[in-house]
Amino acid sequence: MSDQALPVELQADWTRFGAWREQRLGRLAALSNWLRQSGFDPALWQDSLNGLEQRLRQDLVQLAFVAEFSRGKSELINAIFFSGHGQRILPAGAGRTTMCPMELASDPRLPTGLRLLPIETRLDAATLTQWKTRHDAWQDHPFAPDDAAGMSSALSHLSDTLAVSLDRAQELGFYLDEAARAVMVRDSGGMVEVPRWRHALLNVDHPLLAQGLSILDTPGLNALGAEPELTLSLIPAAHAVVFLLGADTGVTRSDLELWTQHVGEAGRLRSYVVLNKIDTLWDPLRSSEDVRAQIDRQCESVASILQIPTQRVFAISAHKALLARIQQDPELLERSGVPALEAALSQVADQERRELIDSGWRATLLDTLMLLERQFQQQIQQADEQRLELAALEGKNKHVVRNLVLRIGMERKEFDAGLVKIQALHAVNARQLGKVAELLDAQTALAQLADLRQRLKSAVLKTGVRSVLEATFADVRRRIDEVEAALEENRSMLSAACEQLNTEFAFTIPSPKQLKLEGIRLELDSTQQDYMRYLTPARWLRLQNTAHAERLVLSALARLRSLLERGVRDAQHWNRAALAQLDVQVRERKRNMHRRLQSLEQVEHAEGELGQRIAQLRRQGSELRGRRAQLRQHFEGAMK
């Protein structure tokens, strides 16, 4: 898909982050290359700089569009992302349009096209994440990247339905109250109409999606209610939630239920509420001021009901915005209200995203610079000491040089003997790290949940889900507390050992920084709140569906396993960083002793070598100071 598929004003608003990211990646690559070519020890910089690069490359912004049926989500996505095609791409119009949740992304490694997961897979307990790896289960609808008609044809399948009995609909997870049944199409045999597909994945070459933006389109209360993973994983992971209402309906009971149960408290903080279809309020018999006042009152009412700031409520007409862009009518586009919403969303995709990355970017680079400058300082000090040592030999006979060679040889033996302490320190540290891995072992920590899943397969009544989840969250929280205590004990041990080594060998090893797992603990608390809020008495009937109950437990297992694995990675990274300075200074001391012996042996066996070596060390010290200044310049360039 070419850039022409994106309105010009959006290219400027939404692609700033991509240019900024490429600039950052370029600076990071230049810094890494310079460090590599300059011979800096990778143990001091490679982990931290690789981590920054990985975060930049893998950083994605997900926008979740959430609404009941017929609120205009598909039309809004068409207006924002696909109007450059000159036609409607996603099915939109009267009645049901997009019938299943859909994820839109751009992955050049995958073929362009639409993948559809049959609704019958709900009878299996596997999660959506697991289904995504089972390619043979999906129905593929490929199309050429520049074929708008082919894409539109493929996406028309999002409206496909199946006629099933009411019992079958409930078995598939569609628990229908009277209001929901009233809108389900029935035939004379009592069959009801349900979506044919459970989930859709759309992969397209799109300039916005290529910048690291992805879209989650979630249609309707029934779709969300039947998929715990959507409510408990995908929507909470979104950076912004676009919640659509109809200006012609206001906040209905099902809208409020969707907002309360599936957007939730956490989602409310990053939600943008869209009051769509304001064109139904445009009345040529009323003044534009009266119409605007009515729309403003409706926005204030929506903000009050949903308990969000009024400035996060946007009154728009997605249909008029799409029409305006296709017809290139700037006045109609401005009146549609969509540009104001796009400006707010682009701030999430650009400014807030940059600030989030910048919060750790400069701190990481400064910490790395400090480690490398400390290495430089040690090398400069060693070169100066060696120069002064040789200068003291001027005018002395070879017997004095020989004694100094013997003395340095003894120093090296003493240092090698002292390495036993460092090896013992590594051994103790490895045991402590093993204790951390044992505490955060997912199989052990999540055993109660795994047992619950097995019980649910055969239990007539699905009970105990809430209590087991509460117990598991409490156990994981206890384990994280114990890990933090173990890491602090390890830090104290390393600090004492480094202080002793600094005294004994004149090292300059800093005490390791304290590692706090507060971020993991906060995410654990948020996850628990999501699950406890989901497990309301009203969902008891849904939980009696074995596959649904299993999917709920599997989604909890996946989220908790991810947190535990993240804790292990954080501990390992902290550990490598804590020992890096020690290992680097040990290696540097060995190299320095070897260089000193070489210099003295050359002086001992060659006339005139002493003066040359002193001059060489003077130049080396000067070069090291110059390279240290270059080092700071390179890092300051990367931090801009």
Side-chain angles (χ1 to χ4, degrees), residues 388-397 400-401 404 600 603 610:
L388 293 173
E389 185 177 61
L390 292 179
L393 294 176
E394 289 184 304
K396 303 291 175 62
N397 58 39
V400 175
V401 176
L404 187 55
L600 288 170
V603 168
L610 180 59

Side-chain angles (χ1 to χ4, degrees), residues 419-469:
L419 290 181
V420 175
K421 297 178 183 177
I422 296 174
Q423 291 167 354
L425 182 64
H426 273 280
V428 173
N429 180 71
R431 285 197 297 272
Q432 288 286 78
L433 203 58
K435 180 182 177 181
V436 168
E438 184 179 332
L439 280 168
L440 297 181
D441 176 63
Q443 186 173 353
T444 305
L446 306 179
Q448 290 184 78
L449 267 183
D451 290 344
L452 173 65
R453 183 195 169 194
Q454 294 302 318
R455 291 203 309 272
L456 290 174
K457 290 180 179 180
S458 56
V460 177
L461 287 178
K462 320 300 181 187
T463 58
V465 175
R466 188 182 187 93
S467 61
V468 171
L469 275 170

Side-chain angles (χ1 to χ4, degrees), residues 42-327:
L44 294 178
W45 61 269
Q46 201 164 53
D47 260 9
S48 57
L49 266 60
N50 284 351
L52 287 178
E53 180 186 6
Q54 185 178 24
R55 183 176 180 187
L56 269 177
R57 291 194 183 280
Q58 295 182 352
D59 178 72
L60 295 174
V61 166
Q62 186 172 78
L63 303 181
F65 287 73
V66 180
E68 267 291 28
F69 285 119
S70 300
R71 299 299 189 264
K73 282 193 322 310
S74 298
E75 195 77 324
L76 180 57
I77 293 172
N78 279 326
I80 293 177
F81 299 101
F82 297 120
S83 61
H85 285 293
Q87 67 178 75
R88 182 176 282 124
I89 297 298
L90 288 177
R96 298 186 194 91
T97 53
T98 303
M99 299 289 287
C100 70
M102 179 174 64
E103 295 178 63
L104 294 78
S106 182
D107 188 341
R109 299 169 299 179
L110 299 175
T112 300
L114 178 70
R115 299 173 66 206
L116 297 167
L117 185 65
I119 193 69
E120 290 83 2
T121 58
R122 279 192 183 173
L123 301 175
D124 189 300
T127 63
L128 289 171
T129 302
Q130 292 169 328
W131 279 112
K132 287 176 184 178
T133 65
R134 295 162 65 170
H135 301 291
D136 58 337
W138 298 72
Q139 185 178 111
D140 293 323
H141 294 271
F143 48 81
D146 56 353
D147 182 5
M151 187 187 341
S152 181
S153 175
L155 290 171
S156 67
H157 289 288
L158 296 172
S159 302
D160 292 349
T161 59
L162 285 175
V164 299
S165 67
L166 185 59
D167 288 344
R168 181 65 166 175
Q170 292 179 335
E171 187 182 4
L172 290 169
F174 297 98
Y175 290 90
L176 311 175
D177 58 20
E178 290 304 319
R181 292 184 194 189
V183 299
M184 302 297 278
V185 177
R186 289 181 177 226
D187 62 17
S188 57
M191 304 290 275
V192 296
E193 200 174 63
V194 299
R196 183 180 185 86
W197 310 109
R198 176 183 179 186
H199 203 75
L201 301 173
L202 176 62
N203 186 57
V204 291
D205 177 19
H206 189 285
L208 288 186
L209 302 179
Q211 300 293 330
L213 187 68
S214 65
I215 308 300
L216 173 65
D217 181 9
T218 58
L221 193 58
N222 249 315
L224 284 170
E227 299 287 0
E229 204 171 349
L230 289 175
T231 302
L232 298 169
S233 295
L234 294 181
I235 293 176
H239 293 79
V241 177
V242 182
F243 186 74
L244 275 80
L245 302 167
D248 52 345
T249 60
V251 183
T252 67
R253 184 176 64 85
S254 60
D255 289 327
L256 193 57
E257 186 179 353
L258 194 63
W259 172 261
T260 304
Q261 295 187 8
H262 298 286
V263 175
E265 292 294 330
R268 180 181 301 173
L269 299 176
R270 57 183 187 279
S271 291
Y272 296 85
V273 175
V274 173
L275 192 62
N276 192 21
K277 305 182 183 181
I278 59 168
D279 51 297
T280 61
L281 304 178
W282 295 351
D283 186 348
L285 300 179
R286 300 174 60 194
S287 69
S288 59
E289 291 78 9
D290 285 346
V291 172
R292 184 70 255 174
Q294 181 184 0
I295 292 173
D296 288 344
R297 285 195 299 272
Q298 199 156 351
C299 289
E300 290 169 3
S301 173
V302 166
S304 175
I305 293 170
L306 300 184
Q307 299 178 22
I308 63 168
T310 308
Q311 58 267 30
R312 279 185 171 260
V313 180
F314 294 83
I316 71 160
S317 170
H319 172 68
K320 297 303 182 187
L322 177 61
L323 183 65
R325 282 191 165 135
I326 292 174
Q327 296 181 346

Side-chain angles (χ1 to χ4, degrees), residues 21-31:
R21 178 174 61 180
E22 290 306 314
Q23 183 185 62
R24 282 290 173 96
L25 285 169
R27 289 174 180 170
L28 199 59
L31 178 60

Side-chain angles (χ1 to χ4, degrees), residues 477-528:
R477 190 172 291 104
R478 175 189 62 79
R479 289 170 180 270
I480 289 172
D481 291 342
E482 288 186 24
V483 163
E484 215 170 52
L487 289 172
E488 179 57 24
E489 180 184 338
N490 199 35
R491 190 188 73 84
S492 298
M493 182 268 294
L494 288 174
S495 296
C498 289
E499 186 176 345
Q500 183 181 356
L501 291 168
N502 288 343
T503 302
E504 190 170 343
F505 297 115
F507 284 159
T508 57
I509 309 165
S511 294
K513 290 187 175 182
Q514 191 175 31
L515 176 64
K516 286 289 187 181
L517 301 176
E518 194 59 31
I520 293 177
R521 193 180 285 106
L522 288 173
E523 190 170 338
L524 179 69
D525 292 344
S526 175
T527 301
Q528 181 173 2

Side-chain angles (χ1 to χ4, degrees), residues 6-15 79-81 208 325 342:
L6 187 65
V8 173
E9 68 273 15
L10 277 186
Q11 290 186 42
D13 287 344
W14 289 71
T15 58
I80 293 177
F81 299 101
L208 288 186
R325 282 191 165 135
E342 289 169 343

